[in-house]
PDB file of all heavy atoms in Angstrom:
ATOM      1  N   SER A 343      -3.676   3.026 -13.370  1.00 96.00           N
ATOM      2  CA  SER A 343      -2.514   2.149 -13.571  1.00 96.00           C
ATOM      3  C   SER A 343      -1.506   2.754 -14.513  1.00 96.00           C
ATOM      4  O   SER A 343      -0.293   2.615 -14.283  1.00 96.00           O
ATOM      5  CB  SER A 343      -3.025   0.797 -14.167  1.00 96.00           C
ATOM      6  OG  SER A 343      -3.902   0.143 -13.287  1.00 96.00           O
ATOM      7  N   VAL A 344      -1.957   3.360 -15.602  1.00 96.00           N
ATOM      8  CA  VAL A 344      -1.035   3.968 -16.581  1.00 96.00           C
ATOM      9  C   VAL A 344      -0.261   5.099 -15.898  1.00 96.00           C
ATOM     10  O   VAL A 344       0.981   5.165 -16.084  1.00 96.00           O
ATOM     11  CB  VAL A 344      -1.815   4.464 -17.792  1.00 96.00           C
ATOM     12  CG1 VAL A 344      -0.834   5.131 -18.770  1.00 96.00           C
ATOM     13  CG2 VAL A 344      -2.509   3.309 -18.475  1.00 96.00           C
ATOM     14  N   VAL A 345      -0.970   5.963 -15.201  1.00 96.00           N
ATOM     15  CA  VAL A 345      -0.283   7.079 -14.547  1.00 96.00           C
ATOM     16  C   VAL A 345       0.729   6.599 -13.473  1.00 96.00           C
ATOM     17  O   VAL A 345       1.876   7.042 -13.425  1.00 96.00           O
ATOM     18  CB  VAL A 345      -1.316   8.076 -13.925  1.00 96.00           C
ATOM     19  CG1 VAL A 345      -0.587   9.109 -13.076  1.00 96.00           C
ATOM     20  CG2 VAL A 345      -2.128   8.733 -14.998  1.00 96.00           C
ATOM     21  N   ALA A 346       0.266   5.609 -12.695  1.00 96.00           N
ATOM     22  CA  ALA A 346       1.188   5.075 -11.657  1.00 96.00           C
ATOM     23  C   ALA A 346       2.389   4.381 -12.248  1.00 96.00           C
ATOM     24  O   ALA A 346       3.529   4.472 -11.748  1.00 96.00           O
ATOM     25  CB  ALA A 346       0.424   4.096 -10.763  1.00 96.00           C
ATOM     26  N   GLY A 347       2.198   3.679 -13.369  1.00 96.00           N
ATOM     27  CA  GLY A 347       3.335   3.055 -14.090  1.00 96.00           C
ATOM     28  C   GLY A 347       4.278   4.090 -14.604  1.00 96.00           C
ATOM     29  O   GLY A 347       5.514   3.883 -14.546  1.00 96.00           O
ATOM     30  N   SER A 348       3.755   5.187 -15.116  1.00 95.00           N
ATOM     31  CA  SER A 348       4.647   6.291 -15.581  1.00 95.00           C
ATOM     32  C   SER A 348       5.465   6.875 -14.427  1.00 95.00           C
ATOM     33  O   SER A 348       6.665   7.111 -14.571  1.00 95.00           O
ATOM     34  CB  SER A 348       3.786   7.412 -16.221  1.00 95.00           C
ATOM     35  OG  SER A 348       3.009   6.908 -17.250  1.00 95.00           O
ATOM     36  N   VAL A 349       4.812   7.097 -13.272  1.00 95.00           N
ATOM     37  CA  VAL A 349       5.534   7.627 -12.116  1.00 95.00           C
ATOM     38  C   VAL A 349       6.612   6.673 -11.689  1.00 95.00           C
ATOM     39  O   VAL A 349       7.725   7.066 -11.391  1.00 95.00           O
ATOM     40  CB  VAL A 349       4.494   7.872 -10.986  1.00 95.00           C
ATOM     41  CG1 VAL A 349       5.259   8.287  -9.692  1.00 95.00           C
ATOM     42  CG2 VAL A 349       3.524   9.020 -11.331  1.00 95.00           C
ATOM     43  N   SER A 350       6.286   5.378 -11.628  1.00 94.00           N
ATOM     44  CA  SER A 350       7.214   4.377 -11.208  1.00 94.00           C
ATOM     45  C   SER A 350       8.464   4.321 -12.128  1.00 94.00           C
ATOM     46  O   SER A 350       9.569   4.124 -11.698  1.00 94.00           O
ATOM     47  CB  SER A 350       6.541   2.994 -11.149  1.00 94.00           C
ATOM     48  OG  SER A 350       7.441   2.026 -10.704  1.00 94.00           O
ATOM     49  N   ALA A 351       8.173   4.518 -13.432  1.00 93.00           N
ATOM     50  CA  ALA A 351       9.294   4.514 -14.400  1.00 93.00           C
ATOM     51  C   ALA A 351      10.015   5.830 -14.498  1.00 93.00           C
ATOM     52  O   ALA A 351      11.075   5.967 -15.172  1.00 93.00           O
ATOM     53  CB  ALA A 351       8.756   4.120 -15.804  1.00 93.00           C
ATOM     54  N   GLY A 352       9.513   6.873 -13.826  1.00 93.00           N
ATOM     55  CA  GLY A 352      10.137   8.169 -13.887  1.00 93.00           C
ATOM     56  C   GLY A 352       9.867   8.921 -15.161  1.00 93.00           C
ATOM     57  O   GLY A 352      10.673   9.786 -15.540  1.00 93.00           O
ATOM     58  N   ASP A 353       8.786   8.606 -15.866  1.00 93.00           N
ATOM     59  CA  ASP A 353       8.446   9.221 -17.094  1.00 93.00           C
ATOM     60  C   ASP A 353       7.337  10.255 -16.927  1.00 93.00           C
ATOM     61  O   ASP A 353       6.503  10.122 -16.002  1.00 93.00           O
ATOM     62  CB  ASP A 353       7.973   8.169 -18.137  1.00 93.00           C
ATOM     63  CG  ASP A 353       9.127   7.295 -18.596  1.00 93.00           C
ATOM     64  OD1 ASP A 353      10.273   7.682 -18.485  1.00 93.00           O
ATOM     65  OD2 ASP A 353       8.838   6.167 -19.047  1.00 93.00           O
ATOM     66  N   LYS A 354       7.305  11.236 -17.830  1.00 93.00           N
ATOM     67  CA  LYS A 354       6.219  12.196 -17.810  1.00 93.00           C
ATOM     68  C   LYS A 354       5.093  11.692 -18.648  1.00 93.00           C
ATOM     69  O   LYS A 354       5.283  11.045 -19.719  1.00 93.00           O
ATOM     70  CB  LYS A 354       6.746  13.524 -18.434  1.00 93.00           C
ATOM     71  CG  LYS A 354       5.681  14.653 -18.490  1.00 93.00           C
ATOM     72  CD  LYS A 354       6.254  15.892 -19.140  1.00 93.00           C
ATOM     73  CE  LYS A 354       5.206  16.987 -19.225  1.00 93.00           C
ATOM     74  NZ  LYS A 354       5.771  18.196 -19.859  1.00 93.00           N
ATOM     75  N   TRP A 355       3.830  11.868 -18.212  1.00 94.00           N
ATOM     76  CA  TRP A 355       2.691  11.403 -19.003  1.00 94.00           C
ATOM     77  C   TRP A 355       1.947  12.648 -19.520  1.00 94.00           C
ATOM     78  O   TRP A 355       1.874  13.734 -18.868  1.00 94.00           O
ATOM     79  CB  TRP A 355       1.798  10.524 -18.164  1.00 94.00           C
ATOM     80  CG  TRP A 355       1.031  11.166 -17.085  1.00 94.00           C
ATOM     81  CD1 TRP A 355      -0.192  11.767 -17.142  1.00 94.00           C
ATOM     82  CD2 TRP A 355       1.518  11.450 -15.729  1.00 94.00           C
ATOM     83  NE1 TRP A 355      -0.522  12.313 -15.940  1.00 94.00           N
ATOM     84  CE2 TRP A 355       0.458  12.116 -15.022  1.00 94.00           C
ATOM     85  CE3 TRP A 355       2.674  11.120 -15.045  1.00 94.00           C
ATOM     86  CZ2 TRP A 355       0.588  12.487 -13.711  1.00 94.00           C
ATOM     87  CZ3 TRP A 355       2.795  11.503 -13.691  1.00 94.00           C
ATOM     88  CH2 TRP A 355       1.763  12.199 -13.051  1.00 94.00           C
ATOM     89  N   LEU A 356       1.333  12.506 -20.711  1.00 95.00           N
ATOM     90  CA  LEU A 356       0.550  13.549 -21.313  1.00 95.00           C
ATOM     91  C   LEU A 356      -0.772  12.967 -21.813  1.00 95.00           C
ATOM     92  O   LEU A 356      -0.776  11.953 -22.527  1.00 95.00           O
ATOM     93  CB  LEU A 356       1.323  14.162 -22.521  1.00 95.00           C
ATOM     94  CG  LEU A 356       2.519  14.997 -22.229  1.00 95.00           C
ATOM     95  CD1 LEU A 356       3.294  15.332 -23.504  1.00 95.00           C
ATOM     96  CD2 LEU A 356       2.182  16.253 -21.480  1.00 95.00           C
ATOM     97  N   PHE A 357      -1.848  13.599 -21.430  1.00 96.00           N
ATOM     98  CA  PHE A 357      -3.184  13.189 -21.899  1.00 96.00           C
ATOM     99  C   PHE A 357      -3.500  13.860 -23.219  1.00 96.00           C
ATOM    100  O   PHE A 357      -3.482  15.102 -23.274  1.00 96.00           O
ATOM    101  CB  PHE A 357      -4.274  13.469 -20.877  1.00 96.00           C
ATOM    102  CG  PHE A 357      -4.286  12.631 -19.651  1.00 96.00           C
ATOM    103  CD1 PHE A 357      -3.790  13.115 -18.429  1.00 96.00           C
ATOM    104  CD2 PHE A 357      -4.694  11.321 -19.727  1.00 96.00           C
ATOM    105  CE1 PHE A 357      -3.818  12.360 -17.297  1.00 96.00           C
ATOM    106  CE2 PHE A 357      -4.685  10.522 -18.569  1.00 96.00           C
ATOM    107  CZ  PHE A 357      -4.247  11.031 -17.364  1.00 96.00           C
ATOM    108  N   LEU A 358      -3.745  13.091 -24.249  1.00 96.00           N
ATOM    109  CA  LEU A 358      -4.264  13.718 -25.497  1.00 96.00           C
ATOM    110  C   LEU A 358      -5.794  13.711 -25.524  1.00 96.00           C
ATOM    111  O   LEU A 358      -6.394  14.603 -26.078  1.00 96.00           O
ATOM    112  CB  LEU A 358      -3.745  12.887 -26.685  1.00 96.00           C
ATOM    113  CG  LEU A 358      -2.235  12.786 -26.893  1.00 96.00           C
ATOM    114  CD1 LEU A 358      -1.892  12.133 -28.193  1.00 96.00           C
ATOM    115  CD2 LEU A 358      -1.597  14.135 -26.798  1.00 96.00           C
ATOM    116  N   SER A 359      -6.358  12.689 -24.888  1.00 95.00           N
ATOM    117  CA  SER A 359      -7.809  12.688 -24.642  1.00 95.00           C
ATOM    118  C   SER A 359      -8.077  11.941 -23.345  1.00 95.00           C
ATOM    119  O   SER A 359      -7.434  10.989 -23.045  1.00 95.00           O
ATOM    120  CB  SER A 359      -8.570  12.018 -25.788  1.00 95.00           C
ATOM    121  OG  SER A 359      -8.074  10.716 -26.022  1.00 95.00           O
ATOM    122  N   SER A 360      -9.048  12.449 -22.577  1.00 91.00           N
ATOM    123  CA  SER A 360      -9.292  11.910 -21.272  1.00 91.00           C
ATOM    124  C   SER A 360     -10.571  12.428 -20.704  1.00 91.00           C
ATOM    125  O   SER A 360     -11.060  13.526 -21.102  1.00 91.00           O
ATOM    126  CB  SER A 360      -8.122  12.224 -20.357  1.00 91.00           C
ATOM    127  OG  SER A 360      -8.336  11.826 -19.017  1.00 91.00           O
ATOM    128  N   THR A 361     -11.108  11.763 -19.653  1.00 85.00           N
ATOM    129  CA  THR A 361     -12.152  12.314 -18.852  1.00 85.00           C
ATOM    130  C   THR A 361     -11.781  12.188 -17.343  1.00 85.00           C
ATOM    131  O   THR A 361     -12.662  12.226 -16.513  1.00 85.00           O
ATOM    132  CB  THR A 361     -13.482  11.541 -19.075  1.00 85.00           C
ATOM    133  OG1 THR A 361     -13.285  10.171 -18.781  1.00 85.00           O
ATOM    134  CG2 THR A 361     -13.958  11.694 -20.500  1.00 85.00           C
ATOM    135  N   MET A 362     -10.491  12.089 -17.105  1.00 80.00           N
ATOM    136  CA  MET A 362     -10.052  11.851 -15.718  1.00 80.00           C
ATOM    137  C   MET A 362     -10.429  13.027 -14.793  1.00 80.00           C
ATOM    138  O   MET A 362     -11.010  12.829 -13.726  1.00 80.00           O
ATOM    139  CB  MET A 362      -8.536  11.618 -15.650  1.00 80.00           C
ATOM    140  CG  MET A 362      -8.079  11.111 -14.310  1.00 80.00           C
ATOM    141  SD  MET A 362      -6.360  10.578 -14.370  1.00 80.00           S
ATOM    142  CE  MET A 362      -6.205   9.886 -12.693  1.00 80.00           C
ATOM    143  N   LEU A 363     -10.098  14.257 -15.184  1.00 73.00           N
ATOM    144  CA  LEU A 363     -10.495  15.390 -14.390  1.00 73.00           C
ATOM    145  C   LEU A 363     -11.565  16.226 -15.110  1.00 73.00           C
ATOM    146  O   LEU A 363     -12.541  16.691 -14.467  1.00 73.00           O
ATOM    147  CB  LEU A 363      -9.260  16.285 -14.136  1.00 73.00           C
ATOM    148  CG  LEU A 363      -8.139  15.635 -13.313  1.00 73.00           C
ATOM    149  CD1 LEU A 363      -6.960  16.563 -13.207  1.00 73.00           C
ATOM    150  CD2 LEU A 363      -8.623  15.257 -11.909  1.00 73.00           C
ATOM    151  N   LYS A 364     -11.397  16.405 -16.380  1.00 79.00           N
ATOM    152  CA  LYS A 364     -12.381  17.035 -17.232  1.00 79.00           C
ATOM    153  C   LYS A 364     -12.207  16.482 -18.617  1.00 79.00           C
ATOM    154  O   LYS A 364     -11.163  15.852 -18.929  1.00 79.00           O
ATOM    155  CB  LYS A 364     -12.250  18.536 -17.199  1.00 79.00           C
ATOM    156  CG  LYS A 364     -10.909  19.037 -17.765  1.00 79.00           C
ATOM    157  CD  LYS A 364     -10.811  20.534 -17.789  1.00 79.00           C
ATOM    158  CE  LYS A 364      -9.476  21.032 -18.363  1.00 79.00           C
ATOM    159  NZ  LYS A 364      -9.390  22.487 -18.453  1.00 79.00           N
ATOM    160  N   GLN A 365     -13.188  16.719 -19.481  1.00 85.00           N
ATOM    161  CA  GLN A 365     -13.053  16.214 -20.820  1.00 85.00           C
ATOM    162  C   GLN A 365     -11.869  16.912 -21.499  1.00 85.00           C
ATOM    163  O   GLN A 365     -11.776  18.121 -21.560  1.00 85.00           O
ATOM    164  CB  GLN A 365     -14.310  16.452 -21.621  1.00 85.00           C
ATOM    165  CG  GLN A 365     -14.248  15.889 -23.037  1.00 85.00           C
ATOM    166  CD  GLN A 365     -15.292  16.426 -23.942  1.00 85.00           C
ATOM    167  OE1 GLN A 365     -16.274  16.941 -23.483  1.00 85.00           O
ATOM    168  NE2 GLN A 365     -14.970  16.410 -25.263  1.00 85.00           N
ATOM    169  N   THR A 366     -10.941  16.095 -22.063  1.00 88.00           N
ATOM    170  CA  THR A 366      -9.773  16.622 -22.717  1.00 88.00           C
ATOM    171  C   THR A 366      -9.704  16.122 -24.133  1.00 88.00           C
ATOM    172  O   THR A 366      -9.814  14.935 -24.390  1.00 88.00           O
ATOM    173  CB  THR A 366      -8.479  16.217 -21.976  1.00 88.00           C
ATOM    174  OG1 THR A 366      -8.510  16.699 -20.645  1.00 88.00           O
ATOM    175  CG2 THR A 366      -7.239  16.688 -22.688  1.00 88.00           C
ATOM    176  N   GLU A 367      -9.571  17.046 -25.078  1.00 94.00           N
ATOM    177  CA  GLU A 367      -9.314  16.711 -26.488  1.00 94.00           C
ATOM    178  C   GLU A 367      -8.285  17.676 -27.015  1.00 94.00           C
ATOM    179  O   GLU A 367      -8.587  18.749 -27.535  1.00 94.00           O
ATOM    180  CB  GLU A 367     -10.585  16.812 -27.333  1.00 94.00           C
ATOM    181  CG  GLU A 367     -11.613  15.733 -27.104  1.00 94.00           C
ATOM    182  CD  GLU A 367     -12.794  15.877 -28.063  1.00 94.00           C
ATOM    183  OE1 GLU A 367     -12.568  16.268 -29.240  1.00 94.00           O
ATOM    184  OE2 GLU A 367     -13.909  15.642 -27.666  1.00 94.00           O
ATOM    185  N   ARG A 368      -7.020  17.287 -26.944  1.00 95.00           N
ATOM    186  CA  ARG A 368      -5.961  18.209 -27.374  1.00 95.00           C
ATOM    187  C   ARG A 368      -5.862  18.194 -28.881  1.00 95.00           C
ATOM    188  O   ARG A 368      -5.994  17.147 -29.529  1.00 95.00           O
ATOM    189  CB  ARG A 368      -4.636  17.861 -26.742  1.00 95.00           C
ATOM    190  CG  ARG A 368      -4.630  18.031 -25.225  1.00 95.00           C
ATOM    191  CD  ARG A 368      -3.234  18.080 -24.670  1.00 95.00           C
ATOM    192  NE  ARG A 368      -2.435  19.179 -25.172  1.00 95.00           N
ATOM    193  CZ  ARG A 368      -1.208  19.449 -24.734  1.00 95.00           C
ATOM    194  NH1 ARG A 368      -0.658  18.736 -23.790  1.00 95.00           N
ATOM    195  NH2 ARG A 368      -0.539  20.474 -25.215  1.00 95.00           N
ATOM    196  N   THR A 369      -5.592  19.346 -29.440  1.00 95.00           N
ATOM    197  CA  THR A 369      -5.460  19.482 -30.877  1.00 95.00           C
ATOM    198  C   THR A 369      -4.054  19.831 -31.332  1.00 95.00           C
ATOM    199  O   THR A 369      -3.744  19.823 -32.540  1.00 95.00           O
ATOM    200  CB  THR A 369      -6.370  20.593 -31.434  1.00 95.00           C
ATOM    201  OG1 THR A 369      -6.092  21.845 -30.770  1.00 95.00           O
ATOM    202  CG2 THR A 369      -7.820  20.219 -31.166  1.00 95.00           C
ATOM    203  N   SER A 370      -3.126  20.063 -30.348  1.00 95.00           N
ATOM    204  CA  SER A 370      -1.752  20.364 -30.687  1.00 95.00           C
ATOM    205  C   SER A 370      -0.881  20.109 -29.469  1.00 95.00           C
ATOM    206  O   SER A 370      -1.354  20.022 -28.326  1.00 95.00           O
ATOM    207  CB  SER A 370      -1.574  21.806 -31.136  1.00 95.00           C
ATOM    208  OG  SER A 370      -1.891  22.674 -30.066  1.00 95.00           O
ATOM    209  N   LEU A 371       0.423  19.895 -29.729  1.00 94.00           N
ATOM    210  CA  LEU A 371       1.419  19.752 -28.668  1.00 94.00           C
ATOM    211  C   LEU A 371       2.508  20.766 -28.902  1.00 94.00           C
ATOM    212  O   LEU A 371       2.827  21.126 -30.061  1.00 94.00           O
ATOM    213  CB  LEU A 371       2.030  18.372 -28.667  1.00 94.00           C
ATOM    214  CG  LEU A 371       1.158  17.168 -28.277  1.00 94.00           C
ATOM    215  CD1 LEU A 371       1.988  15.873 -28.391  1.00 94.00           C
ATOM    216  CD2 LEU A 371       0.655  17.356 -26.847  1.00 94.00           C
TER     217      LEU A 371
END
């Protein structure tokens, strides 16, 4: 829902932590 809402609004989304495709824990941007 969050990703689809971002697409609908024309915004870019960034995962800071997630398990959608693989475990993600970003430490910097």
Side-chain angles (χ1 to χ4, degrees):
S343 298
V344 177
V345 171
S348 303
V349 172
S350 181
D353 290 337
K354 179 181 179 181
W355 70 92
L356 290 172
F357 287 107
L358 301 187
S359 56
S360 174
T361 58
M362 190 170 186
L363 298 176
K364 63 178 181 178
Q365 183 198 337
T366 300
E367 288 185 35
R368 295 196 62 174
T369 58
S370 64
L371 291 178

